mmCIF file of all heavy atoms in Angstrom:
data_model
loop_
_atom_site.group_PDB
_atom_site.id
_atom_site.type_symbol
_atom_site.label_atom_id
_atom_site.label_comp_id
_atom_site.label_asym_id
_atom_site.label_seq_id
_atom_site.Cartn_x
_atom_site.Cartn_y
_atom_site.Cartn_z
ATOM 1 N N GLY P 59 240.872 -86.044 43.444
ATOM 2 C CA GLY P 59 240.154 -85.285 44.461
ATOM 3 C C GLY P 59 241.068 -84.465 45.336
ATOM 4 O O GLY P 59 240.639 -83.448 45.909
ATOM 5 N N LEU P 60 242.339 -84.861 45.438
ATOM 6 C CA LEU P 60 243.285 -84.127 46.265
ATOM 7 C C LEU P 60 243.715 -82.808 45.621
ATOM 8 O O LEU P 60 244.286 -81.954 46.288
ATOM 9 C CB LEU P 60 244.511 -84.995 46.576
ATOM 10 C CG LEU P 60 244.198 -86.301 47.327
ATOM 11 C CD1 LEU P 60 245.471 -87.103 47.555
ATOM 12 C CD2 LEU P 60 243.504 -86.011 48.656
ATOM 13 N N TYR P 61 243.486 -82.671 44.310
ATOM 14 C CA TYR P 61 243.713 -81.360 43.691
ATOM 15 C C TYR P 61 242.424 -80.813 43.074
ATOM 16 O O TYR P 61 242.430 -80.000 42.157
ATOM 17 C CB TYR P 61 244.857 -81.398 42.664
ATOM 18 C CG TYR P 61 244.802 -82.478 41.595
ATOM 19 C CD1 TYR P 61 244.086 -82.291 40.414
ATOM 20 C CD2 TYR P 61 245.506 -83.667 41.760
ATOM 21 C CE1 TYR P 61 244.068 -83.257 39.428
ATOM 22 C CE2 TYR P 61 245.488 -84.644 40.781
ATOM 23 C CZ TYR P 61 244.773 -84.439 39.613
ATOM 24 O OH TYR P 61 244.755 -85.414 38.632
ATOM 25 N N GLY P 62 241.274 -81.287 43.623
ATOM 26 C CA GLY P 62 239.995 -80.647 43.343
ATOM 27 C C GLY P 62 239.313 -81.044 42.056
ATOM 28 O O GLY P 62 238.478 -80.286 41.554
ATOM 29 N N GLU P 63 239.636 -82.233 41.513
ATOM 30 C CA GLU P 63 238.997 -82.670 40.279
ATOM 31 C C GLU P 63 238.350 -84.042 40.444
ATOM 32 O O GLU P 63 238.714 -84.816 41.334
ATOM 33 C CB GLU P 63 240.016 -82.709 39.130
ATOM 34 C CG GLU P 63 240.532 -81.340 38.733
ATOM 35 C CD GLU P 63 241.323 -81.367 37.439
ATOM 36 O OE1 GLU P 63 241.479 -82.458 36.851
ATOM 37 O OE2 GLU P 63 241.784 -80.287 37.014
ATOM 38 N N LYS P 64 237.391 -84.339 39.569
ATOM 39 C CA LYS P 64 236.831 -85.681 39.502
ATOM 40 C C LYS P 64 237.828 -86.610 38.811
ATOM 41 O O LYS P 64 238.748 -86.161 38.125
ATOM 42 C CB LYS P 64 235.506 -85.661 38.744
ATOM 43 C CG LYS P 64 234.398 -84.891 39.456
ATOM 44 C CD LYS P 64 233.105 -84.946 38.661
ATOM 45 C CE LYS P 64 231.983 -84.201 39.389
ATOM 46 N NZ LYS P 64 230.709 -84.235 38.626
ATOM 47 N N THR P 65 237.607 -87.912 38.964
ATOM 48 C CA THR P 65 238.581 -88.889 38.489
ATOM 49 C C THR P 65 238.270 -89.350 37.066
ATOM 50 O O THR P 65 237.194 -89.888 36.797
ATOM 51 C CB THR P 65 238.614 -90.110 39.427
ATOM 52 O OG1 THR P 65 238.884 -89.657 40.755
ATOM 53 C CG2 THR P 65 239.680 -91.098 38.997
ATOM 54 N N SER P 66 239.232 -89.136 36.181
ATOM 55 C CA SER P 66 239.101 -89.589 34.791
ATOM 56 C C SER P 66 239.056 -91.111 34.719
ATOM 57 O O SER P 66 239.619 -91.822 35.571
ATOM 58 C CB SER P 66 240.296 -89.074 33.981
ATOM 59 O OG SER P 66 240.448 -89.779 32.774
ATOM 60 N N LEU P 67 238.423 -91.626 33.663
ATOM 61 C CA LEU P 67 238.412 -93.073 33.435
ATOM 62 C C LEU P 67 239.818 -93.614 33.178
ATOM 63 O O LEU P 67 240.056 -94.814 33.305
ATOM 64 C CB LEU P 67 237.508 -93.399 32.239
ATOM 65 C CG LEU P 67 236.015 -93.077 32.409
ATOM 66 C CD1 LEU P 67 235.276 -93.331 31.095
ATOM 67 C CD2 LEU P 67 235.404 -93.905 33.528
ATOM 68 N N LEU P 68 240.755 -92.737 32.827
ATOM 69 C CA LEU P 68 242.110 -93.167 32.502
ATOM 70 C C LEU P 68 243.088 -92.991 33.659
ATOM 71 O O LEU P 68 244.267 -93.328 33.525
ATOM 72 C CB LEU P 68 242.616 -92.402 31.279
ATOM 73 C CG LEU P 68 241.816 -92.653 29.994
ATOM 74 C CD1 LEU P 68 242.295 -91.733 28.880
ATOM 75 C CD2 LEU P 68 241.929 -94.108 29.567
ATOM 76 N N THR P 69 242.616 -92.464 34.779
ATOM 77 C CA THR P 69 243.470 -92.305 35.958
ATOM 78 C C THR P 69 243.474 -93.596 36.766
ATOM 79 O O THR P 69 242.437 -94.216 36.983
ATOM 80 C CB THR P 69 242.979 -91.139 36.831
ATOM 81 O OG1 THR P 69 243.203 -89.915 36.124
ATOM 82 C CG2 THR P 69 243.708 -91.086 38.159
ATOM 83 N N ARG P 70 244.664 -93.994 37.218
ATOM 84 C CA ARG P 70 244.815 -95.210 38.023
ATOM 85 C C ARG P 70 245.487 -94.868 39.344
ATOM 86 O O ARG P 70 246.637 -94.438 39.369
ATOM 87 C CB ARG P 70 245.642 -96.260 37.279
ATOM 88 C CG ARG P 70 244.982 -96.785 36.011
ATOM 89 C CD ARG P 70 245.836 -97.845 35.360
ATOM 90 N NE ARG P 70 246.076 -98.960 36.264
ATOM 91 C CZ ARG P 70 246.902 -99.981 35.986
ATOM 92 N NH1 ARG P 70 247.584 -99.983 34.859
ATOM 93 N NH2 ARG P 70 247.055 -100.958 36.847
ATOM 94 N N VAL P 71 244.757 -95.051 40.423
ATOM 95 C CA VAL P 71 245.272 -94.764 41.765
ATOM 96 C C VAL P 71 245.588 -96.088 42.448
ATOM 97 O O VAL P 71 244.732 -96.972 42.512
ATOM 98 C CB VAL P 71 244.252 -93.955 42.582
ATOM 99 C CG1 VAL P 71 244.778 -93.720 43.994
ATOM 100 C CG2 VAL P 71 243.959 -92.625 41.894
ATOM 101 N N GLU P 72 246.803 -96.216 42.973
ATOM 102 C CA GLU P 72 247.227 -97.478 43.560
ATOM 103 C C GLU P 72 247.546 -97.397 45.042
ATOM 104 O O GLU P 72 247.443 -98.393 45.746
ATOM 105 C CB GLU P 72 248.458 -98.013 42.809
ATOM 106 C CG GLU P 72 248.203 -98.296 41.336
ATOM 107 C CD GLU P 72 249.455 -98.761 40.615
ATOM 108 O OE1 GLU P 72 250.499 -98.946 41.296
ATOM 109 O OE2 GLU P 72 249.406 -98.916 39.383
ATOM 110 N N ASP P 73 247.964 -96.232 45.519
ATOM 111 C CA ASP P 73 248.494 -96.160 46.883
ATOM 112 C C ASP P 73 248.148 -94.815 47.520
ATOM 113 O O ASP P 73 248.982 -93.910 47.581
ATOM 114 C CB ASP P 73 250.010 -96.361 46.860
ATOM 115 C CG ASP P 73 250.591 -96.667 48.222
ATOM 116 O OD1 ASP P 73 249.862 -96.514 49.225
ATOM 117 O OD2 ASP P 73 251.770 -97.053 48.299
ATOM 118 N N PRO P 74 246.913 -94.648 48.020
ATOM 119 C CA PRO P 74 246.494 -93.332 48.532
ATOM 120 C C PRO P 74 247.396 -92.774 49.619
ATOM 121 O O PRO P 74 247.698 -91.568 49.621
ATOM 122 C CB PRO P 74 245.081 -93.600 49.058
ATOM 123 C CG PRO P 74 244.609 -94.801 48.318
ATOM 124 C CD PRO P 74 245.828 -95.628 48.078
ATOM 125 N N TYR P 75 247.843 -93.616 50.553
ATOM 126 C CA TYR P 75 248.616 -93.083 51.682
ATOM 127 C C TYR P 75 249.960 -92.517 51.253
ATOM 128 O O TYR P 75 250.484 -91.587 51.874
ATOM 129 C CB TYR P 75 248.788 -94.141 52.772
ATOM 130 C CG TYR P 75 248.094 -93.723 54.049
ATOM 131 C CD1 TYR P 75 246.775 -94.087 54.297
ATOM 132 C CD2 TYR P 75 248.725 -92.915 54.984
ATOM 133 C CE1 TYR P 75 246.124 -93.682 55.448
ATOM 134 C CE2 TYR P 75 248.093 -92.500 56.146
ATOM 135 C CZ TYR P 75 246.783 -92.887 56.370
ATOM 136 O OH TYR P 75 246.153 -92.465 57.502
ATOM 137 N N ARG P 76 250.519 -93.071 50.186
ATOM 138 C CA ARG P 76 251.759 -92.474 49.685
ATOM 139 C C ARG P 76 251.501 -91.032 49.268
ATOM 140 O O ARG P 76 252.289 -90.133 49.585
ATOM 141 C CB ARG P 76 252.305 -93.268 48.501
ATOM 142 C CG ARG P 76 253.562 -92.623 47.928
ATOM 143 C CD ARG P 76 254.124 -93.310 46.721
ATOM 144 N NE ARG P 76 255.197 -92.507 46.170
ATOM 145 C CZ ARG P 76 255.806 -92.728 45.010
ATOM 146 N NH1 ARG P 76 255.448 -93.762 44.274
ATOM 147 N NH2 ARG P 76 256.756 -91.920 44.579
ATOM 148 N N HIS P 77 250.399 -90.789 48.588
ATOM 149 C CA HIS P 77 250.082 -89.436 48.141
ATOM 150 C C HIS P 77 249.725 -88.524 49.312
ATOM 151 O O HIS P 77 250.077 -87.345 49.305
ATOM 152 C CB HIS P 77 248.954 -89.472 47.122
ATOM 153 C CG HIS P 77 249.268 -90.306 45.913
ATOM 154 N ND1 HIS P 77 250.403 -90.113 45.161
ATOM 155 C CD2 HIS P 77 248.607 -91.340 45.347
ATOM 156 C CE1 HIS P 77 250.423 -90.990 44.169
ATOM 157 N NE2 HIS P 77 249.340 -91.745 44.265
ATOM 158 N N TYR P 78 249.032 -89.059 50.307
ATOM 159 C CA TYR P 78 248.730 -88.245 51.491
ATOM 160 C C TYR P 78 250.029 -87.713 52.099
ATOM 161 O O TYR P 78 250.158 -86.520 52.401
ATOM 162 C CB TYR P 78 247.986 -89.055 52.547
ATOM 163 C CG TYR P 78 246.627 -89.571 52.174
ATOM 164 C CD1 TYR P 78 245.998 -90.550 52.943
ATOM 165 C CD2 TYR P 78 245.929 -89.087 51.058
ATOM 166 C CE1 TYR P 78 244.740 -91.040 52.627
ATOM 167 C CE2 TYR P 78 244.673 -89.571 50.726
ATOM 168 C CZ TYR P 78 244.084 -90.550 51.516
ATOM 169 O OH TYR P 78 242.848 -91.044 51.200
ATOM 170 N N LEU P 79 250.974 -88.621 52.320
ATOM 171 C CA LEU P 79 252.235 -88.235 52.956
ATOM 172 C C LEU P 79 253.006 -87.239 52.098
ATOM 173 O O LEU P 79 253.453 -86.183 52.580
ATOM 174 C CB LEU P 79 253.102 -89.476 53.200
ATOM 175 C CG LEU P 79 254.485 -89.175 53.803
ATOM 176 C CD1 LEU P 79 254.358 -88.805 55.272
ATOM 177 C CD2 LEU P 79 255.431 -90.357 53.631
ATOM 178 N N GLU P 80 253.173 -87.543 50.829
ATOM 179 C CA GLU P 80 254.042 -86.731 49.985
ATOM 180 C C GLU P 80 253.433 -85.375 49.675
ATOM 181 O O GLU P 80 254.135 -84.354 49.668
ATOM 182 C CB GLU P 80 254.398 -87.508 48.713
ATOM 183 C CG GLU P 80 255.219 -88.760 49.025
ATOM 184 C CD GLU P 80 255.720 -89.491 47.794
ATOM 185 O OE1 GLU P 80 255.555 -88.976 46.666
ATOM 186 O OE2 GLU P 80 256.277 -90.592 47.952
ATOM 187 N N LEU P 81 252.130 -85.315 49.429
ATOM 188 C CA LEU P 81 251.493 -84.023 49.188
ATOM 189 C C LEU P 81 251.553 -83.132 50.426
ATOM 190 O O LEU P 81 251.805 -81.925 50.326
ATOM 191 C CB LEU P 81 250.047 -84.221 48.754
ATOM 192 C CG LEU P 81 249.831 -84.738 47.334
ATOM 193 C CD1 LEU P 81 248.390 -85.185 47.150
ATOM 194 C CD2 LEU P 81 250.187 -83.684 46.296
ATOM 195 N N SER P 82 251.324 -83.733 51.593
ATOM 196 C CA SER P 82 251.370 -82.946 52.815
ATOM 197 C C SER P 82 252.786 -82.456 53.099
ATOM 198 O O SER P 82 252.991 -81.306 53.521
ATOM 199 C CB SER P 82 250.846 -83.756 54.001
ATOM 200 O OG SER P 82 250.665 -82.928 55.138
ATOM 201 N N PHE P 83 253.783 -83.297 52.848
ATOM 202 C CA PHE P 83 255.175 -82.895 53.044
ATOM 203 C C PHE P 83 255.517 -81.737 52.104
ATOM 204 O O PHE P 83 256.159 -80.752 52.500
ATOM 205 C CB PHE P 83 256.090 -84.086 52.819
ATOM 206 C CG PHE P 83 257.486 -83.921 53.370
ATOM 207 C CD1 PHE P 83 257.842 -82.854 54.178
ATOM 208 C CD2 PHE P 83 258.467 -84.867 53.088
ATOM 209 C CE1 PHE P 83 259.135 -82.711 54.691
ATOM 210 C CE2 PHE P 83 259.751 -84.747 53.589
ATOM 211 C CZ PHE P 83 260.086 -83.661 54.383
ATOM 212 N N VAL P 84 255.091 -81.839 50.834
ATOM 213 C CA VAL P 84 255.346 -80.747 49.887
ATOM 214 C C VAL P 84 254.720 -79.449 50.382
ATOM 215 O O VAL P 84 255.361 -78.388 50.360
ATOM 216 C CB VAL P 84 254.800 -81.103 48.487
ATOM 217 C CG1 VAL P 84 254.716 -79.861 47.603
ATOM 218 C CG2 VAL P 84 255.677 -82.154 47.822
ATOM 219 N N PHE P 85 253.469 -79.513 50.831
ATOM 220 C CA PHE P 85 252.811 -78.297 51.311
ATOM 221 C C PHE P 85 253.562 -77.706 52.498
ATOM 222 O O PHE P 85 253.744 -76.487 52.585
ATOM 223 C CB PHE P 85 251.363 -78.589 51.699
ATOM 224 C CG PHE P 85 250.646 -77.378 52.220
ATOM 225 C CD1 PHE P 85 250.144 -76.422 51.346
ATOM 226 C CD2 PHE P 85 250.497 -77.164 53.581
ATOM 227 C CE1 PHE P 85 249.501 -75.280 51.821
ATOM 228 C CE2 PHE P 85 249.863 -76.031 54.073
ATOM 229 C CZ PHE P 85 249.363 -75.084 53.188
ATOM 230 N N HIS P 86 254.017 -78.565 53.410
ATOM 231 C CA HIS P 86 254.776 -78.059 54.557
ATOM 232 C C HIS P 86 256.105 -77.440 54.110
ATOM 233 O O HIS P 86 256.565 -76.460 54.698
ATOM 234 C CB HIS P 86 255.025 -79.189 55.562
ATOM 235 C CG HIS P 86 253.854 -79.466 56.446
ATOM 236 N ND1 HIS P 86 252.718 -80.108 56.024
ATOM 237 C CD2 HIS P 86 253.642 -79.159 57.756
ATOM 238 C CE1 HIS P 86 251.858 -80.199 57.025
ATOM 239 N NE2 HIS P 86 252.390 -79.630 58.084
ATOM 240 N N LEU P 87 256.712 -78.006 53.078
ATOM 241 C CA LEU P 87 257.978 -77.476 52.587
ATOM 242 C C LEU P 87 257.802 -76.140 51.871
ATOM 243 O O LEU P 87 258.540 -75.174 52.128
ATOM 244 C CB LEU P 87 258.642 -78.475 51.628
ATOM 245 C CG LEU P 87 259.241 -79.734 52.247
ATOM 246 C CD1 LEU P 87 259.555 -80.748 51.158
ATOM 247 C CD2 LEU P 87 260.506 -79.410 53.047
ATOM 248 N N LEU P 88 256.817 -76.066 50.952
ATOM 249 C CA LEU P 88 256.727 -74.948 50.029
ATOM 250 C C LEU P 88 255.526 -74.036 50.243
ATOM 251 O O LEU P 88 255.494 -72.927 49.694
ATOM 252 C CB LEU P 88 256.677 -75.464 48.581
ATOM 253 C CG LEU P 88 257.792 -76.414 48.137
ATOM 254 C CD1 LEU P 88 257.565 -76.843 46.698
ATOM 255 C CD2 LEU P 88 259.154 -75.779 48.307
ATOM 256 N N GLY P 89 254.522 -74.497 50.996
ATOM 257 C CA GLY P 89 253.280 -73.749 51.068
ATOM 258 C C GLY P 89 252.473 -73.937 49.796
ATOM 259 O O GLY P 89 252.836 -74.718 48.912
ATOM 260 N N GLY P 90 251.343 -73.217 49.675
ATOM 261 C CA GLY P 90 250.532 -73.381 48.480
ATOM 262 C C GLY P 90 249.284 -72.531 48.515
ATOM 263 O O GLY P 90 248.977 -71.851 49.506
ATOM 264 N N TYR P 91 248.556 -72.599 47.402
ATOM 265 C CA TYR P 91 247.311 -71.838 47.296
ATOM 266 C C TYR P 91 246.247 -72.329 48.271
ATOM 267 O O TYR P 91 245.302 -71.595 48.561
ATOM 268 C CB TYR P 91 246.763 -71.940 45.873
ATOM 269 C CG TYR P 91 247.570 -71.205 44.835
ATOM 270 C CD1 TYR P 91 247.991 -71.852 43.674
ATOM 271 C CD2 TYR P 91 247.903 -69.867 45.007
ATOM 272 C CE1 TYR P 91 248.724 -71.180 42.705
ATOM 273 C CE2 TYR P 91 248.647 -69.189 44.043
ATOM 274 C CZ TYR P 91 249.045 -69.862 42.893
ATOM 275 O OH TYR P 91 249.778 -69.179 41.945
#
């Protein structure tokens, strides 16, 4: 959902807050669409 897609049956998410932090840091570093 963080890149705009539904979740596949084969996707395994374990630690949402890690992704919140790292994705936001990347966006602040590089910008994005």
Side-chain angles (χ1 to χ4, degrees):
L60 300 179
Y61 51 86
E63 293 191 0
K64 294 181 179 180
T65 304
S66 162
L67 296 175
L68 297 174
T69 292
R70 295 182 59 186
V71 177
E72 299 177 5
D73 195 349
Y75 244 91
R76 177 183 172 189
H77 301 307
Y78 296 166
L79 177 74
E80 296 186 7
L81 286 167
S82 190
F83 197 9
V84 165
F85 179 79
H86 280 74
L87 288 167
L88 306 179
Y91 290 128

